mmCIF file of all heavy atoms in Angstrom:
data_model
loop_
_atom_site.group_PDB
_atom_site.id
_atom_site.type_symbol
_atom_site.label_atom_id
_atom_site.label_comp_id
_atom_site.label_asym_id
_atom_site.label_seq_id
_atom_site.Cartn_x
_atom_site.Cartn_y
_atom_site.Cartn_z
ATOM 1 N N LYS A 3 -25.651 31.910 -17.749
ATOM 2 C CA LYS A 3 -24.204 32.213 -17.711
ATOM 3 C C LYS A 3 -23.430 30.945 -17.298
ATOM 4 O O LYS A 3 -23.844 30.238 -16.375
ATOM 5 C CB LYS A 3 -23.968 33.342 -16.697
ATOM 6 C CG LYS A 3 -22.530 33.804 -16.628
ATOM 7 C CD LYS A 3 -22.363 34.894 -15.554
ATOM 8 C CE LYS A 3 -20.896 35.216 -15.308
ATOM 9 N NZ LYS A 3 -20.158 34.175 -14.608
ATOM 10 N N LYS A 5 -20.677 28.789 -15.504
ATOM 11 C CA LYS A 5 -19.912 28.972 -14.262
ATOM 12 C C LYS A 5 -18.522 28.385 -14.403
ATOM 13 O O LYS A 5 -18.333 27.395 -15.094
ATOM 14 C CB LYS A 5 -20.645 28.280 -13.114
ATOM 15 C CG LYS A 5 -21.910 29.005 -12.736
ATOM 16 C CD LYS A 5 -22.451 28.490 -11.429
ATOM 17 C CE LYS A 5 -23.694 29.264 -11.062
ATOM 18 N NZ LYS A 5 -24.730 28.382 -10.546
ATOM 19 N N SER A 64 2.933 34.664 -8.812
ATOM 20 C CA SER A 64 2.950 35.202 -10.186
ATOM 21 C C SER A 64 1.701 34.767 -10.958
ATOM 22 O O SER A 64 1.195 35.520 -11.801
ATOM 23 C CB SER A 64 4.244 34.828 -10.918
ATOM 24 O OG SER A 64 4.570 33.493 -10.677
ATOM 25 N N ASP A 102 -18.760 37.822 -7.606
ATOM 26 C CA ASP A 102 -19.694 38.129 -6.513
ATOM 27 C C ASP A 102 -20.313 36.838 -5.992
ATOM 28 O O ASP A 102 -20.822 36.037 -6.780
ATOM 29 C CB ASP A 102 -20.832 39.027 -7.035
ATOM 30 C CG ASP A 102 -20.346 40.460 -7.159
ATOM 31 O OD1 ASP A 102 -19.248 40.766 -6.656
ATOM 32 O OD2 ASP A 102 -21.081 41.256 -7.787
ATOM 33 N N ASP A 114 -6.485 10.132 6.977
ATOM 34 C CA ASP A 114 -7.550 9.129 6.893
ATOM 35 C C ASP A 114 -7.199 7.976 7.829
ATOM 36 O O ASP A 114 -6.035 7.824 8.213
ATOM 37 C CB ASP A 114 -7.692 8.619 5.442
ATOM 38 C CG ASP A 114 -9.091 8.078 5.163
ATOM 39 O OD1 ASP A 114 -9.947 8.084 6.083
ATOM 40 O OD2 ASP A 114 -9.340 7.651 4.022
ATOM 41 N N ALA A 147 -11.743 15.625 10.728
ATOM 42 C CA ALA A 147 -12.583 16.426 11.623
ATOM 43 C C ALA A 147 -11.954 16.494 13.018
ATOM 44 O O ALA A 147 -11.826 17.566 13.614
ATOM 45 C CB ALA A 147 -13.986 15.825 11.695
ATOM 46 N N VAL A 156 -11.702 9.370 16.513
ATOM 47 C CA VAL A 156 -12.532 8.243 16.988
ATOM 48 C C VAL A 156 -13.151 7.637 15.743
ATOM 49 O O VAL A 156 -13.875 8.312 15.012
ATOM 50 C CB VAL A 156 -13.642 8.751 17.937
ATOM 51 C CG1 VAL A 156 -14.556 7.604 18.350
ATOM 52 C CG2 VAL A 156 -13.038 9.435 19.151
ATOM 53 N N ARG A 170 -20.968 20.430 15.644
ATOM 54 C CA ARG A 170 -21.113 21.752 16.293
ATOM 55 C C ARG A 170 -19.747 22.372 16.546
ATOM 56 O O ARG A 170 -19.532 23.562 16.335
ATOM 57 C CB ARG A 170 -21.893 21.615 17.611
ATOM 58 C CG ARG A 170 -23.403 21.445 17.404
ATOM 59 C CD ARG A 170 -24.166 21.713 18.690
ATOM 60 N NE ARG A 170 -23.793 20.816 19.776
ATOM 61 C CZ ARG A 170 -24.269 19.587 19.942
ATOM 62 N NH1 ARG A 170 -25.158 19.087 19.099
ATOM 63 N NH2 ARG A 170 -23.882 18.838 20.960
ATOM 64 N N ASN A 191 -24.142 0.171 7.180
ATOM 65 C CA ASN A 191 -24.380 1.441 6.482
ATOM 66 C C ASN A 191 -23.239 2.420 6.714
ATOM 67 O O ASN A 191 -22.673 2.483 7.803
ATOM 68 C CB ASN A 191 -25.690 2.070 6.975
ATOM 69 C CG ASN A 191 -26.869 1.173 6.687
ATOM 70 O OD1 ASN A 191 -27.319 1.064 5.549
ATOM 71 N ND2 ASN A 191 -27.350 0.475 7.709
ATOM 72 N N SER A 214 -10.839 1.665 -0.022
ATOM 73 C CA SER A 214 -10.668 2.268 -1.347
ATOM 74 C C SER A 214 -9.951 3.599 -1.202
ATOM 75 O O SER A 214 -10.327 4.424 -0.375
ATOM 76 C CB SER A 214 -12.035 2.502 -1.995
ATOM 77 O OG SER A 214 -12.726 1.281 -2.095
ATOM 78 N N ALA A 238 -26.531 17.549 -2.927
ATOM 79 C CA ALA A 238 -25.190 17.395 -3.512
ATOM 80 C C ALA A 238 -24.415 16.303 -2.763
ATOM 81 O O ALA A 238 -23.703 15.500 -3.380
ATOM 82 C CB ALA A 238 -24.432 18.725 -3.467
ATOM 83 N N CYS A 262 -12.269 3.173 -9.929
ATOM 84 C CA CYS A 262 -12.517 3.384 -11.362
ATOM 85 C C CYS A 262 -13.774 4.241 -11.537
ATOM 86 O O CYS A 262 -14.792 3.783 -12.077
ATOM 87 C CB CYS A 262 -12.641 2.042 -12.072
ATOM 88 S SG CYS A 262 -11.112 1.091 -11.985
ATOM 89 N N ALA A 273 -27.628 11.692 -12.589
ATOM 90 C CA ALA A 273 -28.092 12.317 -11.336
ATOM 91 C C ALA A 273 -28.093 13.837 -11.476
ATOM 92 O O ALA A 273 -29.017 14.518 -10.989
ATOM 93 C CB ALA A 273 -27.214 11.877 -10.170
#
Side-chain angles (χ1 to χ4, degrees):
K3 184 182 171 288
K5 289 192 178 138
S64 43
D102 282 349
D114 205 359
V156 176
R170 283 196 300 278
N191 299 285
S214 302
C262 297

